[in-house]
Amino acid sequence: MELLPGDRENLAIQTRGGPEKHEVTGWVLISPLSKEDAGEYECHASNAKGEATASAKIHVVETLHEIALTK
C-alpha cells in the first residue's frame, strides 16, 4: 500500500474550495498513466464534524477492445 505520492513524479493531488461554501473538492491526476498505476486508490478525509472514506479502482488497458462492456 502506498500512503503518499511523494516519490511519484507522475502523480499530483489537487484541492480547491467548493462547490458549496465550506466544502473542498479534491482529485488525483496521474499523467502519464501506465500499467504500473493500476490498482485501488483510497481517499481519507476528516474534520471536526467526522470522517469520510472513498475508493476507486483503475484498470489500465492498451486498446479499447480490452474494455469489458456491460448492459
Side-chain angles (χ1 to χ4, degrees), residues 4-32:
L4 296 173
D7 294 332
R8 307 235 346 235
E9 292 182 9
N10 69 330
L11 193 138
I13 296 174
Q14 299 288 319
T15 59
R16 69 173 182 88
E20 301 294 329
K21 188 176 181 180
H22 306 298
E23 288 185 351
V24 174
T25 299
W27 64 94
V28 174
L29 172 67
I30 304 173
S31 180

Side-chain angles (χ1 to χ4, degrees), residues 18-58:
E20 301 294 329
K21 188 176 181 180
H22 306 298
E23 288 185 351
V24 174
T25 299
W27 64 94
V28 174
L29 172 67
I30 304 173
S31 180
L33 185 66
S34 69
K35 288 236 181 219
E36 290 78 30
D37 298 309
E40 186 167 0
Y41 290 77
E42 294 183 355
C43 177
H44 301 270
S46 64
N47 64 19
K49 296 293 184 180
E51 298 180 1
T53 301
S55 65
K57 290 182 183 178
I58 295 179

